[in-house]
Amino acid sequence: MDSLLVLPRMIQFILILAISSLCRGQPQLVLNEEDAMKFIAKQRYINSYQAKAEEMQAAVDELILEPLMYSEVLEPEIDDFQTIASTKTLELTTTDTTRATKNSSNMPTTAAVTYVTVYSTTMSIVTNSTKKNVTEIPTTMTTKHSTKCRRDLGTFQIDLLKEEHYALMMIDSYGKLPPGLLQGDFTYWFGLYDECLNQSRKIDDGKDNFKAEYCIAGLYSGKTKLPSIGICVPDSCSNSDLMEILGLKKPNSLLFVSYVICNKVPEYSTAAIICLIFLSFFGLMIVSGTIYDVLKRWRENGQDGFERLAEDHTGENSINGAPASSKEMSSHSHQTVKITKTSVGLFGNILLCFSLLINGSKILKTKQGEQSLGALNGIRVISLWWVMLGHTYIFALTLFSNLTKILEVLSRFTFQAVGNATFSVDSFFFLSGLLVTYLTLKYLQKHNGKLNWVMFFVHRYLRLTPVYAMVIFIFTTLAPHFANGPLYQSVFDPNAAPGEESQVSYCQKYWWTNLLYINNLYPSNLIEECVDWSWYLANDMQFYIISPFVIYLLYHYFFVGVAFWSALLITCFGSLIGISIKLDIYTGLIPQTPDQKTLGTQEIYVRPWTRISTYLVGMAIGYILYKYKNRVRMPRYVVIMGWMAATGIALAVVYGLYGNFHGDPLNEAASVAYITLSRFSWSVALAWVAFACATGYGGPVNSLLSWSFWIPLSRINYCAYLLHPIIMFVFYYSLPNMIYFTDLLLVYFFIGNIVLSYAAAFILSVSIEAPFMALEKLLLNRDKSV
């Protein structure tokens, strides 16, 4: 739930922007939600609202339309545009000039300028009253040198005055003042993205032509971000060309254009071609392996051979795939040796690793060993759904056209479970700690305390990294070609200029930190991480690396192991207390001052020393299950009290901050206590659920969580975790318009995100993840180690 880090800043930005959008000049300081809502409500009844809205539109026209539509430096050169020089004079009637003068009388500019404003079905050619009644297309061209962008803009200007259809359509596609400004529709004025891209102009039988391209121009008033405006310009214009034209700050004006990002369709890079070659190779291997498997089954067993699919799959019980049980792992590994290593040779076995029949059956079968912790499948899948629920809201936040609705939604009691969806990540830390401890201790018991610790780490790295690396490779090279939209390049631009970085450009710089699992430490800023939701994997790998010290000590020197475990937990608590006091962490989602840190700040959200407490709780319950799983007898009243305590703790953690939205925030001491203990407490509640279900005291909860429906989904959970943000990014940022938030719409998005994510995860798992797992078993004899 890393993306929730941006929520407090975003809400604060929304509140300030709501006011600054209505009043030009320095924005009024907003201290809290109540003040903001009172101000906005007051603005609804001010008679001058329309005038202020028109003034804002006029400011946009002044900053963007004027420079693009009229400037001497934009006039085309005579050598390149001789046919334009002989064009007939375009006359404006006195009535047109009078109307245009009236329309422009409220504009904040004092310069004598000409610019064009076109709305959906009408065009008004606006001129300053100092101009003559007749405006001529220049027949004498400037000798000033101009780039192709400037010449094309000059041609566009002339064609607009001539009312050429393509030019009118281009100017019609510009972003304009939308309705719903007081509801929060002031982040982006997209205009019409598709209308812009469908336009083109040809000159002299197509010898020289340009197509239209769509760009976003960002406006600022002082240090306050104003709406970003969609503009439509010739495709010869680059970001730097447009910034040279638009980025000049006018004297005595707080308003200026701070950036321009154009949506240029990128060419396929060498890396993208290599990625396609890799995927083609895997496709060839899959087809070859499947055909080989079919022929082998038919030759050996006839039609009956199709009923005997591989039974060597071990169910994974964490987001990153720890095995279901050591007993099941060992028995299935020997089955693999028996089935796949007879008479087919090494090359044949390698081909079988890519068989869709084998890999598909591994994922879809619903049987598990008797000693497996079946309830963990349900916990794992439901936890990822919780992650997706939070991401469904947070990734779409900047696209809501009624952003002020968020204040109302956040204050609902029922919505606290969505706003606090970050605890779903702690569920995964808990599961990972439980399983690595439980399975490793059982392995040590079976093998007289011996384990190849080098292979312990090697297997883990090989289990996670191949499919992880492939997702990064696809995201960095091919995702820019999946779709397009007004904001698509802000995430997927592979050629972002310095200062205009995108997720893809960050991946180009820092992909290696992901493969070393240090991306939660470097780069230090979460937003600069490659696939920034993968900070979880870095933490989990780091916890896994130190886990043998705890496990070995618990197995051989119990009290020393407990002391070491306690020292790690105290270190985590101390870090949280110190950081929360030093940074004055506020437990609400919306900061009360611009510099205030909240629960989402990366100093406590992504660093391993602040997140290990839930992993340690998982290790503790893993040890308890290893020692006492089959010998636990509890009175009924103890079971009831355990379930009541776990339920109360979980509800207190998730709904404990409800008062922050209703004028009753936690005091400083309570805030420090909540920050320090909330995630630990959540894992304690989850520990009871896991323990009760594993020891036969789970009742209907265990029946639900152990439902066979969860088993296939749990096997592709890791791939779904890797892919779901990419699927959401592609969908959200390819939308041509803003989203009007409603509860039903977001529920619909959430369900769609789940279905698409797991569908894509199945494809990725059966084609990349499962073959690499099979190759690892085949080549490294995984049955000899954990």
Side-chain angles (χ1 to χ4, degrees), residues 6 15 39 69 114 116 124 129 171 195 201 257 294 328 371 383 455 505 522 558 577 587 672 684 705 754 770:
V6 302
L15 298 177
F39 179 85
M69 297 302 102
T114 298
V116 179
S124 300
S129 57
I171 198 66
E195 181 183 34
R201 192 217 195 255
V257 177
V294 170
E328 184 184 11
Q371 300 297 318
S383 295
M455 297 308 297
S505 63
Y522 181 83
F558 174 74
I577 293 172
T587 53
V672 173
V684 168
L705 296 177
I754 288 179

Side-chain angles (χ1 to χ4, degrees), residues 13-27:
F13 160 74
I14 292 167
L15 298 177
I16 295 176
L17 188 56
I19 298 169
S20 61
S21 298
L22 297 174
C23 304
R24 294 184 63 194
Q26 293 291 346

Side-chain angles (χ1 to χ4, degrees), residues 393 409-420 655 741 743:
Y393 283 83
V409 172
L410 287 175
S411 65
R412 298 176 188 167
F413 182 78
T414 54
F415 197 78
Q416 301 308 299
V418 179
N420 287 314
Y655 294 95
F741 173 88
D743 292 314

Side-chain angles (χ1 to χ4, degrees), residues 756-771:
L756 290 176
S757 295
Y758 278 90
F762 178 81
I763 296 173
L764 181 67
S765 182
V766 80
S767 58
I768 304 294
E769 183 186 32

Side-chain angles (χ1 to χ4, degrees), residues 594-705:
D595 297 325
Q596 190 173 46
K597 302 287 188 178
T598 66
L599 286 171
T601 185
Q602 60 192 16
E603 284 82 358
I604 64 171
Y605 192 78
V606 303
R607 305 301 185 227
W609 47 83
T610 61
R611 298 304 295 263
I612 196 173
S613 63
T614 53
Y615 194 91
L616 292 172
V617 173
M619 296 188 75
I621 200 66
Y623 180 84
I624 292 172
L625 288 175
Y626 157 73
K627 291 290 288 186
Y628 303 108
K629 178 182 177 184
N630 297 323
R631 298 187 300 273
V632 174
R633 296 293 181 267
M634 293 185 291
R636 184 184 297 266
Y637 74 90
V638 173
V639 175
I640 294 175
M641 290 178 61
W643 278 107
M644 292 177 62
T647 302
I649 292 172
L651 292 176
V653 168
V654 174
Y655 294 95
L657 300 180
Y658 180 66
N660 284 344
F661 298 94
H662 298 276
D664 187 24
L666 299 180
N667 58 38
E668 184 176 353
S671 294
V672 173
Y674 183 88
I675 293 169
T676 304
L677 298 175
S678 59
R679 301 191 184 282
F680 175 80
S681 300
W682 172 259
S683 61
V684 168
L686 205 59
W688 169 260
V689 176
F691 178 76
C693 291
T695 55
Y697 295 98
V701 175
N702 181 57
S703 299
L704 173 63
L705 296 177

